[in-house]
């Protein structure tokens, strides 16, 4: 009887209610405009970066190939959660079906894990370009770049996302059917599960948490090696390389900082979780146009040339 009751309770939870950004509906409606603006700028900025890099042959280098991939991932990553969040700011019933919940988890971790490994590949690209420039074009040729991209998407993002989604889908959910968040993620799944989740939590920390920590350490070490090697270069080239590395380090810190903060302790909820998640899903995807375009002369020149060409066609 107990097993039958548990099964009935589990299957009865078909929708989850999200509390959203705040329990105060007026507060949620107030933040609609800034988050909509951020999302629109994220789409426009990152899409412009991708189109500009494709358009300008001078940017057909490994660094900009990875940068365009990063911009594409940021567009996808923000689209997984932000449109639903924006719609919910005007709705009192913020419901999401179980099917949509796990679809959200799959794509959220697909793009997040892919971005982690892509940032690592970008660090390796910068290491070869700065520390071993004579071997750079031989090692980082287009075949290697494409193979790295395929490996990152399949071996990194897809396998990680499938394994994580499979683990969480097996957990029974008997209620409650409400979570204090604006999207559905692994910590919320564990919190609502009506079974012992200790082993699952260890697996998740070993998966998401360990990946984030290891990649963060590897990235910090690689950039430390780069900075040490820059001491032997001429002033102009050194400052240009330092600017590029500083941009990469900013991206790494913002992105991996969230992953370590959330997935190293999936069962423990902190008041700061929602704020950190807001920056992770709605704010940090906007960083690429700001960090890379506004700080990079090559990208700015190519973008101005591209926009000028568009204006010229519009006048015709």
């Amino acid at each position: 009887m107990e097993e039958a009751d548990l099964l009935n309770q589990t299957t009865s939870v078909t929708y989850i209610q999200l509390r959203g950004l705040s329990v105060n509906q007026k507060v949620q409606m107030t933040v609609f405009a800034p988050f909509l603006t951020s999302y629109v700028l994220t789409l426009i900025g990152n899409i412009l970066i991708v189109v500009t890099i494709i358009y300008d042959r001078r940017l057909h280098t490994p660094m900009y190939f990875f940068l365009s991939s990063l911009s594409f991932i940021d567009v996808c990553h923000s689209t997984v959660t932000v449109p639903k969040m924006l719609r919910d700011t005007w709705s009192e019933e913020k419901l999401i079906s179980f099917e949509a919940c796990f679809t959200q988890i799959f794509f959220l971790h697909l793009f997040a894990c892919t971005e982690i490994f892509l940032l690592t590949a970008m660090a390796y690209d910068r290491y070869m370009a700065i520390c071993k420039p004579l071997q750079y074009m031989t090692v980082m040729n287009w075949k290697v770049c494409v193979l790295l991209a395929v490996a990152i998407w399949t071996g990194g993002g897809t396998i990680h996302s499938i394994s994580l989604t499979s683990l969480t889908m097996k957990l029974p959910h008997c209620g409650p059917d409400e979570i204090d968040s604006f999207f559905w993620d692994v910590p919320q799944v564990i919190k609502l599960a009506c079974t012992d989740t200790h082993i699952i939590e260890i697996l998740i920390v070993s998966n998401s948490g360990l990946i984030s920590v290891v990649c963060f350490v590897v990235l910090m070490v690689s950039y430390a090696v780069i900075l040490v090697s820059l001491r032997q270069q001429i002033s102009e080239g050194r400052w240009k390389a330092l600017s590029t590395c500083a941009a990469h380090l900013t991206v790494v810190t913002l992105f991996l900082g969230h992953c370590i903060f959330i997935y190293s302790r999936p069962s423990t909820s902190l008041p700061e979780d929602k704020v950190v998640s807001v920056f992770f899903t709605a704010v940090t995807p906007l960083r690429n146009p700001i960090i890379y375009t506004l700080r990079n002369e090559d990208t700015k020149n190519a973008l101005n040339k591209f926009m000028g060409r568009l204006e010229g066609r519009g006048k015709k």
Side-chain angles (χ1 to χ4, degrees), residues 204-237:
I204 290 171
V205 170
S206 300
N207 190 330
S208 299
L210 191 60
I211 287 175
S212 302
V213 172
V214 170
C215 286
F216 183 76
V217 172
V218 170
L219 285 163
M220 292 299 104
V221 170
S222 66
Y223 282 118
V225 173
I226 291 173
L227 292 175
V228 170
S229 69
L230 285 174
R231 297 172 62 182
Q232 303 174 355
Q233 297 188 16
I234 60 174
S235 179
E236 182 179 353

Side-chain angles (χ1 to χ4, degrees), residues 45-46 49 53 63-64 66-68 70-71 74 115 118-119 122-123 126 223 243-252 284-301 303:
N46 284 296
I49 287 177
I53 291 173
M63 184 181 82
Y64 290 105
F66 291 129
L67 176 58
S68 63
L70 189 62
S71 294
D74 277 336
E115 183 158 343
L118 181 62
L119 290 171
M122 290 175 70
R126 290 300 84 205
Y223 282 118
S243 177
T244 302
C245 291
H248 289 191
L249 281 171
T250 304
V251 171
V252 167
T284 55
L286 183 59
R287 70 190 182 275
N288 274 346
I290 296 174
I291 291 176
Y292 288 101
T293 304
L294 298 180
R295 290 172 55 90
N296 190 300
E297 289 297 328
D298 293 336
T299 311
K300 282 194 293 186
N301 293 335
L303 183 58

Side-chain angles (χ1 to χ4, degrees), residues 19-25 27-28 94 274:
R19 292 183 184 175
L21 295 173
S22 173
V23 293
N24 190 322
Q25 187 64 25
V27 172
Q28 296 205 81
K94 304 169 180 60
K274 190 182 292 188

Side-chain angles (χ1 to χ4, degrees), residues 5 18 20-21 47 68 91 104 109 127 131 204 218 239:
D5 291 340
L18 307 172
L21 295 173
I47 290 172
S68 63
S91 173
Q104 196 172 68
H109 285 270
Y127 166 77
C131 300
I204 290 171
V218 170
W239 283 112

Side-chain angles (χ1 to χ4, degrees), residues 121-177:
M122 290 175 70
Y124 178 70
D125 172 73
R126 290 300 84 205
Y127 166 77
M128 291 300 302
I130 295 171
C131 300
K132 299 183 178 180
L134 297 179
Q135 304 174 30
Y136 178 68
M137 294 309 299
T138 303
V139 175
M140 296 300 296
N141 55 56
W142 280 110
K143 182 179 179 181
V144 172
C145 291
V146 172
L147 288 175
L148 274 174
V150 171
I152 287 168
W153 277 95
T154 56
T158 304
I159 293 176
H160 162 79
S161 187
I162 289 175
S163 62
L164 200 63
T165 307
S166 301
L167 282 173
T168 52
M169 285 183 69
K170 294 178 181 178
L171 294 173
H173 300 87
C174 318
D177 59 354

Side-chain angles (χ1 to χ4, degrees), residues 11-292:
T11 55
S12 66
V13 181
T14 56
Y15 284 87
I16 298 294
Q17 184 167 4
L18 307 172
R19 292 183 184 175
L21 295 173
S22 173
V23 293
N24 190 322
Q25 187 64 25
K26 291 183 179 179
V27 172
Q28 296 205 81
M29 294 172 66
T30 303
V31 301
F32 174 81
F35 280 114
L36 176 62
T37 303
S38 176
Y39 180 60
V40 171
L41 290 176
T42 296
L43 296 182
I44 294 174
N46 284 296
I47 290 172
L48 270 177
I49 287 177
V50 174
V51 174
T52 301
I53 291 173
I54 294 173
Y55 164 79
D56 197 318
R57 290 185 175 274
R58 292 173 301 175
L59 302 183
H60 290 184
T61 63
M63 184 181 82
Y64 290 105
F65 169 76
F66 291 129
L67 176 58
S68 63
S69 300
L70 189 62
S71 294
F72 172 75
I73 291 173
D74 277 336
V75 169
C76 298
H77 185 217
S78 61
T79 303
V80 173
T81 57
V82 176
K84 167 69 174 169
M85 179 188 71
L86 291 173
R87 187 180 68 180
D88 285 346
T89 57
W90 295 93
S91 173
E92 293 187 3
E93 286 191 351
K94 304 169 180 60
L95 299 177
I96 182 171
S97 67
F98 250 72
E99 291 79 7
C101 287
F102 290 103
T103 301
Q104 196 172 68
I105 285 179
F106 174 81
F107 285 106
L108 185 68
H109 285 270
L110 169 66
F111 297 127
C113 189
T114 301
E115 183 158 343
I116 289 174
F117 286 110
L118 181 62
L119 290 171
T120 307
M122 290 175 70
Y124 178 70
D125 172 73
R126 290 300 84 205
Y127 166 77
M128 291 300 302
I130 295 171
C131 300
K132 299 183 178 180
L134 297 179
Q135 304 174 30
Y136 178 68
M137 294 309 299
T138 303
V139 175
M140 296 300 296
N141 55 56
W142 280 110
K143 182 179 179 181
V144 172
C145 291
V146 172
L147 288 175
L148 274 174
V150 171
I152 287 168
W153 277 95
T154 56
T158 304
I159 293 176
H160 162 79
S161 187
I162 289 175
S163 62
L164 200 63
T165 307
S166 301
L167 282 173
T168 52
M169 285 183 69
K170 294 178 181 178
L171 294 173
H173 300 87
C174 318
D177 59 354
E178 183 182 34
I179 60 171
D180 184 19
S181 183
F182 60 94
F183 71 102
W184 181 258
D185 198 5
V186 172
Q188 286 76 36
V189 177
I190 293 175
K191 191 174 181 180
L192 296 186
C194 52
T195 186
D196 183 11
T197 60
H198 182 66
I199 295 179
I200 297 293
E201 290 175 41
I202 293 175
L203 292 174
I204 290 171
V205 170
S206 300
N207 190 330
S208 299
L210 191 60
I211 287 175
S212 302
V213 172
V214 170
C215 286
F216 183 76
V217 172
V218 170
L219 285 163
M220 292 299 104
V221 170
S222 66
Y223 282 118
V225 173
I226 291 173
L227 292 175
V228 170
S229 69
L230 285 174
R231 297 172 62 182
Q232 303 174 355
Q233 297 188 16
I234 60 174
S235 179
E236 182 179 353
R238 180 172 60 189
W239 283 112
K240 185 176 181 180
L242 278 173
S243 177
T244 302
C245 291
H248 289 191
L249 281 171
T250 304
V251 171
V252 167
T253 303
L254 289 173
F255 191 82
L256 284 177
H258 165 272
C259 296
I260 295 171
F261 183 79
I262 296 294
Y263 301 112
S264 296
R265 42 159 195 90
S267 64
T268 306
S269 297
L270 296 176
E272 297 82 7
D273 285 357
K274 190 182 292 188
V275 176
V276 173
S277 295
V278 166
F279 276 90
F280 177 65
T281 58
V283 178
T284 55
L286 183 59
R287 70 190 182 275
N288 274 346
I290 296 174
I291 291 176
Y292 288 101

